[in-house]
Amino acid sequence: MATEIIENNNMILQVLKRLAVSDGERQAPTPNLPGGKDMQRYLIAAMVAALPCFAVAVYYFGSRILAMTAVAFFAIAAVEVAFGLVRGKPIGGGALVFAILLVLILPPEIPLWMVAIGAAFGAFFGKEVFGGTGHHLFSPVLLAKGFLMFSYPLVIKGSYFGSMLDFNPPEAWMICAGVTLLGAVAMIIIQPANVLTLAGIFFAAGCFGWGLGVAGRLGFESPIQVLVVDGFLYGACFLACDPSCSPGNGIGKLIYGVLIGSIAVLMRCFSNYSEAIMSAILIGNLFTPIINIVTQKDEGLSLEKE
Amino acid sequence: MMDSSVGGVAVILLAAILTNNILLSKFLGMCSFIAISRDLRTAWGMGVAVTLVTFTTALLNYGIYYGVLVKDAPLCGADLTYLTFLVLIMVIAGFVQLVEMVIERFSPVLYYKLGIFLPLITVNCAILGVNLLMIDSDRQFNLVQTAAYALGSGMGWLLAICLMAGLRKRLEYADVPKPLQGLGITLLITGLMAMAFMGFAGMVDI
């Protein structure tokens, strides 16, 4: 099998391309995807949109970020190639995009072996056991982050955005928020439907932030702060829109967004973990199939079909 | 001792549903959770049945435990707490028989879909678990708190099994490796669900 895959340069190029952004042919049209190419579109969109954030991270933290990305990429690629070889199927891909997305939500000072463990866990249990990119039920990036966060809670305290707030001049997080919003605009231009998810998240988070602020339970000076601390903006803009684990139609996306936004703010104010948006998106992923079933009455998934 | 105001009761209810979800934090009631979660409608029926049984038996057992079994109880002076397990499980078994008859009378379809798992609610560890945790000496729940705790636990189980039924429906379109199909992937998803629910930790506590 190994010799077949590395038969000629063409094959290697193809494998590399697949590893980077996936070629879209592998993914069967799933019930919540309008077309099989949607996943590839998301991967390319996320790659393009996250690049400014990545550049800012490299500017502030230097080669550390590059090293982390390389480690994460090789860990994910190793899992994907291993599954590809054993199962005799083409590689699902997207390793580079997932690596970049993952590195940006990790604190920059963590040891590299943790990055490798987290990335491998995310690729293995988040993606490959379900059949690879486009079949995943949970965001692999968030599973990696969650796994690290719950396994090493003392090390994985914040994220790249959290650290920005801590030890950099105040304009640093303004730059962070700026480039993230720029990324959000890019995401919306490439996939207009994302605007519904984003609207839902910000509407719900704003409402709950305002309500808690009035009740005096917020813990922040203004509701706006809730929207920019930690990875909130980043998670909302890049990770919530994964087409494989977010609802397929408009009203479903809106419900999904409202669910994530409200849970994120409530968790941020009352739970033990600061990276609330990450858990909130995972909860949103959990609810996605139910939302699909409820909102797509005419599809094969509906409740009426016995 | 918890406070028994409306707020305190609401906290117990929420905590039992989310932070201390009986299935995702204690992994009780796994067998029927895995066996019945293939279809959303059946899962909903099973969840409602479990919620009903949990709620009612917890109240019945609360009365029996504090009325008869404990030392110096109003109805019997002797310390009968060594009978706790026997009495709790017998009350549950008796009540499940009743529920079974009612479901067979009013919803034969659900009755046949649930099959053997309906009488097996009797040995659903989530229900006995709630009944035992409610009389946990550390907690000292009163009647209202017990009701909230039992209802919340049942609803938490219902939530988890419905989410699982949805995810398994979605899974039909995924490309799961052969050795993992069925039970394996279901257990994996349960673990990932539990991880997602860990984010609620610390929000409310019992």
Side-chain angles (χ1 to χ4, degrees), chain A residues 12-97:
Chain A
I12 293 178
L13 271 181
Q14 218 169 351
V15 167
L16 280 180
K17 187 186 159 216
R18 281 206 173 117
L19 277 177
V21 287
S22 156
D23 60 2
E25 286 160 19
R26 170 79 198 288
Q27 292 94 41
T30 43
N32 53 355
L33 304 185
K37 292 258 175 193
D38 237 40
M39 190 64 211
Q40 188 194 14
R41 241 185 131 129
Y42 162 74
L43 289 174
I44 292 173
M47 175 103 141
V48 172
L51 271 184
C53 292
F54 189 69
V56 170
V58 172
Y59 174 75
Y60 276 107
F61 298 105
S63 53
R64 182 76 189 159
I65 294 286
L66 294 176
M68 283 165 74
T69 314
V71 169
F73 172 75
F74 282 116
I76 299 174
V79 171
E80 283 186 356
V81 170
F83 262 84
L85 289 178
V86 172
R87 296 191 71 189
K89 292 190 173 178
I91 292 158
L96 187 57
V97 184

Side-chain angles (χ1 to χ4, degrees), chain A residues 26 31 87 89 125 129-131 135 143 147 150 244 267 270-273 279 283 286-287 289-290 301 306, chain B residues 41 113 162-163 166-167 169-170 173-177 180 185 188 192-193 195-203:
Chain A
R26 170 79 198 288
R87 296 191 71 189
K89 292 190 173 178
F125 289 103
V129 294
F130 298 113
H135 292 298
L143 284 180
F147 177 72
F150 297 130
S244 179
M267 265 188 189
F270 297 113
S271 90
N272 293 343
Y273 301 99
S279 298
I283 304 273
L286 276 177
F287 276 91
I290 298 257
L301 284 173
E306 266 295 299
Chain B
R41 177 162 283 205
K113 275 207 160 172
C162 284
L163 288 178
L167 289 169
K169 200 76 176 169
R170 165 72 176 79
Y173 300 88
D175 180 20
V176 180
L180 275 180
I185 196 75
L188 273 180
L192 298 179
M193 277 171 81
M195 205 166 97
F197 266 69
M198 264 183 85
F200 285 116
M203 261 174 97

Side-chain angles (χ1 to χ4, degrees), chain B residues 154-169:
Chain B
M155 280 160 65
W157 201 87
L158 170 70
L159 175 72
I161 197 174
C162 284
L163 288 178
M164 190 55 163
L167 289 169
R168 283 180 83 166
K169 200 76 176 169

